[in-house]
Amino acid sequence: PHPEQKKTSAEMLRIIAFLALLSSTAAFTPPTTSPVRTTSLSALAAWRDDALGAIPPVGYFDPLGLSNGKDDATMNLYREAELKHGRVAMAACLGWYVTAAGVHPAFNSQLSSDPLKAMKELPLVGWLQFVLGCGAIEWMAWQIKKRPGYKPGDILGAAEWVDDTDEGWVDYQTKELQNGRLAMLAISGIFVQDLFFGKYGDAVFGPFKG
């Protein structure tokens, strides 16, 4: 490719990395207090007192005040988004290191072990499968949301078998939220490290190596 094209591609990747970092941190918002309406106050009080993922030492975490004045429907949407981003981030971390380890089960193992380069090398048919697969999952999730008693993120219908009075189930949900939050930060850092330092395997000490 022409040097100017390489420069443009690099700039675009940097913009994408920055936006990904913003979106992942914005997802860290299980609710806070609201001074607007009585109904909102009572709804948010319930969220604050019973919110899954609100654990010591941080507790109920909403430094940007994104939950101010929001009703239950909006808060449920926020929780749905947080769970979805966390799950995708966990899968992304796993997929990144499988690729970085040189495991390429598709396309005759001809793709680069650098995940960012592999993205550019992936044939159109691969991207088509990816987009259609994600679209099918999204469509299925929207259909599931229509059922009565749906809880945010409960795609498999676990709420029909167990509720939040079960301490083990509450503990499981809290772990999923916490691991998802960590994964959102992790994949953002991994992406930026590969983009700026070219270190896609060693995500801890790579920037300090020559």
Side-chain angles (χ1 to χ4, degrees), residues 13-15 29 37 43 49 54 95 101-102 107 112-114 117 175 177 180 203 205:
L13 284 173
R14 285 180 173 82
I15 292 172
T29 55
R37 295 186 302 271
D49 294 338
F107 305 105
S112 172
S113 292
D114 182 339
K117 291 181 180 178
K175 288 178 179 177
L177 279 167
F205 301 107

Side-chain angles (χ1 to χ4, degrees), residues 82-175:
E82 181 181 28
L83 282 166
K84 182 179 291 185
H85 281 83
R87 289 165 180 172
V88 170
M90 287 187 280
C93 287
L94 177 61
W96 184 285
Y97 281 111
V98 168
T99 300
V103 179
H104 306 289
F107 305 105
N108 297 319
S109 299
Q110 294 178 352
L111 300 180
S112 172
S113 292
D114 182 339
L116 293 188
K117 291 181 180 178
M119 287 171 59
K120 295 186 288 185
E121 297 170 356
L122 187 65
L124 179 59
V125 66
W127 280 109
L128 184 61
Q129 293 176 43
F130 175 76
V131 172
L132 289 178
C134 291
I137 294 172
E138 283 296 305
W139 179 85
M140 180 183 68
W142 276 106
Q143 300 307 309
I144 293 174
K145 288 178 186 179
K146 297 177 182 178
R147 71 176 183 235
Y150 173 78
K151 295 187 65 175
D154 186 19
I155 303 300
L156 299 180
E160 296 182 7
W161 302 93
V162 64
D163 58 30
D164 290 344
T165 61
D166 186 317
E167 292 185 4
W169 176 236
V170 171
D171 182 61
Y172 172 84
Q173 294 178 85
T174 300
K175 288 178 179 177

